[in-house]
PDB file of all heavy atoms in Angstrom:
ATOM      1  N   HIS A  24      97.452  34.035 -25.344  1.00 96.00           N
ATOM      2  CA  HIS A  24      97.861  32.891 -26.169  1.00 96.00           C
ATOM      3  C   HIS A  24      96.664  32.367 -26.966  1.00 96.00           C
ATOM      4  O   HIS A  24      96.764  32.136 -28.171  1.00 96.00           O
ATOM      5  CB  HIS A  24      98.449  31.809 -25.259  1.00 96.00           C
ATOM      6  CG  HIS A  24      98.654  30.487 -25.899  1.00 96.00           C
ATOM      7  ND1 HIS A  24      99.670  30.237 -26.804  1.00 96.00           N
ATOM      8  CD2 HIS A  24      97.972  29.319 -25.764  1.00 96.00           C
ATOM      9  CE1 HIS A  24      99.612  28.975 -27.188  1.00 96.00           C
ATOM     10  NE2 HIS A  24      98.592  28.401 -26.576  1.00 96.00           N
ATOM     11  N   LYS A  25      95.536  32.193 -26.297  1.00 95.00           N
ATOM     12  CA  LYS A  25      94.327  31.685 -26.950  1.00 95.00           C
ATOM     13  C   LYS A  25      93.843  32.646 -28.042  1.00 95.00           C
ATOM     14  O   LYS A  25      93.482  32.219 -29.138  1.00 95.00           O
ATOM     15  CB  LYS A  25      93.243  31.473 -25.899  1.00 95.00           C
ATOM     16  CG  LYS A  25      92.278  30.372 -26.215  1.00 95.00           C
ATOM     17  CD  LYS A  25      91.516  29.954 -24.983  1.00 95.00           C
ATOM     18  CE  LYS A  25      90.258  30.769 -24.850  1.00 95.00           C
ATOM     19  NZ  LYS A  25      89.357  30.310 -23.808  1.00 95.00           N
ATOM     20  N   ALA A  26      93.865  33.931 -27.753  1.00 96.00           N
ATOM     21  CA  ALA A  26      93.454  34.930 -28.744  1.00 96.00           C
ATOM     22  C   ALA A  26      94.401  34.930 -29.941  1.00 96.00           C
ATOM     23  O   ALA A  26      93.964  35.037 -31.089  1.00 96.00           O
ATOM     24  CB  ALA A  26      93.418  36.316 -28.099  1.00 96.00           C
ATOM     25  N   TYR A  27      95.687  34.762 -29.684  1.00 95.00           N
ATOM     26  CA  TYR A  27      96.672  34.705 -30.763  1.00 95.00           C
ATOM     27  C   TYR A  27      96.394  33.511 -31.673  1.00 95.00           C
ATOM     28  O   TYR A  27      96.389  33.645 -32.895  1.00 95.00           O
ATOM     29  CB  TYR A  27      98.089  34.628 -30.185  1.00 95.00           C
ATOM     30  CG  TYR A  27      99.149  34.446 -31.239  1.00 95.00           C
ATOM     31  CD1 TYR A  27      99.467  35.492 -32.104  1.00 95.00           C
ATOM     32  CD2 TYR A  27      99.810  33.235 -31.388  1.00 95.00           C
ATOM     33  CE1 TYR A  27     100.434  35.326 -33.083  1.00 95.00           C
ATOM     34  CE2 TYR A  27     100.774  33.067 -32.362  1.00 95.00           C
ATOM     35  CZ  TYR A  27     101.077  34.110 -33.204  1.00 95.00           C
ATOM     36  OH  TYR A  27     102.026  33.951 -34.195  1.00 95.00           O
ATOM     37  N   LEU A  28      96.147  32.351 -31.084  1.00 94.00           N
ATOM     38  CA  LEU A  28      95.875  31.155 -31.894  1.00 94.00           C
ATOM     39  C   LEU A  28      94.596  31.322 -32.714  1.00 94.00           C
ATOM     40  O   LEU A  28      94.519  30.854 -33.850  1.00 94.00           O
ATOM     41  CB  LEU A  28      95.776  29.916 -31.006  1.00 94.00           C
ATOM     42  CG  LEU A  28      97.054  29.496 -30.292  1.00 94.00           C
ATOM     43  CD1 LEU A  28      96.800  28.241 -29.466  1.00 94.00           C
ATOM     44  CD2 LEU A  28      98.192  29.276 -31.265  1.00 94.00           C
ATOM     45  N   ALA A  29      93.605  31.999 -32.155  1.00 93.00           N
ATOM     46  CA  ALA A  29      92.328  32.186 -32.851  1.00 93.00           C
ATOM     47  C   ALA A  29      92.469  33.091 -34.071  1.00 93.00           C
ATOM     48  O   ALA A  29      91.688  32.972 -35.016  1.00 93.00           O
ATOM     49  CB  ALA A  29      91.287  32.758 -31.895  1.00 93.00           C
ATOM     50  N   THR A  30      93.452  33.979 -34.061  1.00 92.00           N
ATOM     51  CA  THR A  30      93.618  34.919 -35.169  1.00 92.00           C
ATOM     52  C   THR A  30      94.891  34.664 -35.966  1.00 92.00           C
ATOM     53  O   THR A  30      95.270  35.490 -36.801  1.00 92.00           O
ATOM     54  CB  THR A  30      93.631  36.365 -34.642  1.00 92.00           C
ATOM     55  OG1 THR A  30      94.743  36.518 -33.744  1.00 92.00           O
ATOM     56  CG2 THR A  30      92.338  36.711 -33.930  1.00 92.00           C
ATOM     57  N   ALA A  31      95.549  33.560 -35.722  1.00 88.00           N
ATOM     58  CA  ALA A  31      96.822  33.255 -36.382  1.00 88.00           C
ATOM     59  C   ALA A  31      96.644  33.127 -37.894  1.00 88.00           C
ATOM     60  O   ALA A  31      95.591  32.698 -38.365  1.00 88.00           O
ATOM     61  CB  ALA A  31      97.401  31.963 -35.818  1.00 88.00           C
ATOM     62  N   PRO A  32      97.673  33.483 -38.644  1.00 85.00           N
ATOM     63  CA  PRO A  32      97.580  33.423 -40.096  1.00 85.00           C
ATOM     64  C   PRO A  32      97.685  32.012 -40.680  1.00 85.00           C
ATOM     65  O   PRO A  32      97.622  31.844 -41.882  1.00 85.00           O
ATOM     66  CB  PRO A  32      98.766  34.277 -40.550  1.00 85.00           C
ATOM     67  CG  PRO A  32      99.752  34.151 -39.439  1.00 85.00           C
ATOM     68  CD  PRO A  32      98.931  34.040 -38.187  1.00 85.00           C
ATOM     69  N   MET A  33      97.849  31.018 -39.843  1.00 88.00           N
ATOM     70  CA  MET A  33      97.909  29.640 -40.339  1.00 88.00           C
ATOM     71  C   MET A  33      96.935  28.772 -39.575  1.00 88.00           C
ATOM     72  O   MET A  33      96.561  29.094 -38.446  1.00 88.00           O
ATOM     73  CB  MET A  33      99.323  29.081 -40.253  1.00 88.00           C
ATOM     74  CG  MET A  33      99.880  28.931 -38.872  1.00 88.00           C
ATOM     75  SD  MET A  33     101.574  28.328 -38.889  1.00 88.00           S
ATOM     76  CE  MET A  33     102.400  29.571 -39.858  1.00 88.00           C
ATOM     77  N   ALA A  34      96.526  27.687 -40.197  1.00 91.00           N
ATOM     78  CA  ALA A  34      95.545  26.785 -39.592  1.00 91.00           C
ATOM     79  C   ALA A  34      96.218  25.854 -38.595  1.00 91.00           C
ATOM     80  O   ALA A  34      97.251  25.262 -38.884  1.00 91.00           O
ATOM     81  CB  ALA A  34      94.854  25.974 -40.672  1.00 91.00           C
ATOM     82  N   SER A  35      95.612  25.744 -37.430  1.00 93.00           N
ATOM     83  CA  SER A  35      96.043  24.749 -36.445  1.00 93.00           C
ATOM     84  C   SER A  35      95.220  23.489 -36.660  1.00 93.00           C
ATOM     85  O   SER A  35      93.989  23.540 -36.653  1.00 93.00           O
ATOM     86  CB  SER A  35      95.807  25.254 -35.021  1.00 93.00           C
ATOM     87  OG  SER A  35      96.675  26.314 -34.719  1.00 93.00           O
ATOM     88  N   VAL A  36      95.895  22.378 -36.853  1.00 93.00           N
ATOM     89  CA  VAL A  36      95.211  21.094 -36.998  1.00 93.00           C
ATOM     90  C   VAL A  36      94.815  20.587 -35.619  1.00 93.00           C
ATOM     91  O   VAL A  36      93.673  20.197 -35.394  1.00 93.00           O
ATOM     92  CB  VAL A  36      96.104  20.077 -37.745  1.00 93.00           C
ATOM     93  CG1 VAL A  36      95.427  18.726 -37.851  1.00 93.00           C
ATOM     94  CG2 VAL A  36      96.469  20.616 -39.131  1.00 93.00           C
ATOM     95  N   ILE A  37      95.770  20.612 -34.700  1.00 94.00           N
ATOM     96  CA  ILE A  37      95.528  20.303 -33.292  1.00 94.00           C
ATOM     97  C   ILE A  37      96.473  21.141 -32.452  1.00 94.00           C
ATOM     98  O   ILE A  37      97.536  21.551 -32.924  1.00 94.00           O
ATOM     99  CB  ILE A  37      95.732  18.804 -32.939  1.00 94.00           C
ATOM    100  CG1 ILE A  37      97.165  18.360 -33.226  1.00 94.00           C
ATOM    101  CG2 ILE A  37      94.720  17.924 -33.623  1.00 94.00           C
ATOM    102  CD1 ILE A  37      97.531  17.018 -32.635  1.00 94.00           C
ATOM    103  N   SER A  38      96.089  21.400 -31.222  1.00 95.00           N
ATOM    104  CA  SER A  38      97.000  22.054 -30.294  1.00 95.00           C
ATOM    105  C   SER A  38      96.495  21.836 -28.881  1.00 95.00           C
ATOM    106  O   SER A  38      95.303  21.607 -28.667  1.00 95.00           O
ATOM    107  CB  SER A  38      97.117  23.555 -30.580  1.00 95.00           C
ATOM    108  OG  SER A  38      95.906  24.215 -30.308  1.00 95.00           O
TER     109      SER A  38
END
Side-chain angles (χ1 to χ4, degrees):
H24 168 74
K25 210 163 90 171
Y27 175 71
L28 294 181
T30 61
M33 65 182 58
S35 291
V36 178
I37 61 167
S38 67

